[in-house]
Amino acid sequence: MSDQDDIPVLDDLIESGIEITLSDLGLADDPPLSASHTDSQEITFDPAEAAALVHDPLADNPALEQAVRRILDEHMELAWQEIRLAIRQHLDRS
């Protein structure tokens, strides 16, 4: 990275035209890639394996789960009341 004083401002980038390069931003034009695979290797994704890696924050915190469920219950009740009101208003117009 360049010195802090060499970092361009928006006006500098606008004056340089539509295309902005890495060097315009004060970065190396050819940054080293840190990927461990090459383009010829195939990347596979197993959803079941990914799901097993995901940690459920509610499993370890029953108080949090209860609070979330309470919030959802309140919103479901309000939504149900609004739905019933909308149906009633629609039927009254008919």
Side-chain angles (χ1 to χ4, degrees), residues 14-64:
I14 291 172
E15 290 173 5
S16 68
I18 294 176
E19 187 175 318
I20 299 172
T21 64
L22 289 174
S23 61
D24 292 337
L25 299 173
L27 303 170
D29 281 325
D30 193 15
L33 297 177
S34 62
S36 61
H37 68 280
T38 62
D39 291 339
S40 63
Q41 291 177 327
E42 185 176 325
I43 299 173
T44 58
F45 174 76
D46 181 9
E49 184 180 322
L53 296 174
V54 175
H55 173 70
D56 182 8
L58 299 179
D60 299 337
N61 195 336
L64 177 60

Side-chain angles (χ1 to χ4, degrees), residues 77-90:
E77 180 60 33
L78 290 172
W80 178 240
Q81 290 174 10
E82 288 184 41
I83 291 169
R84 290 177 64 192
L85 180 61
I87 291 171
R88 199 173 296 132
Q89 289 174 346
H90 177 74

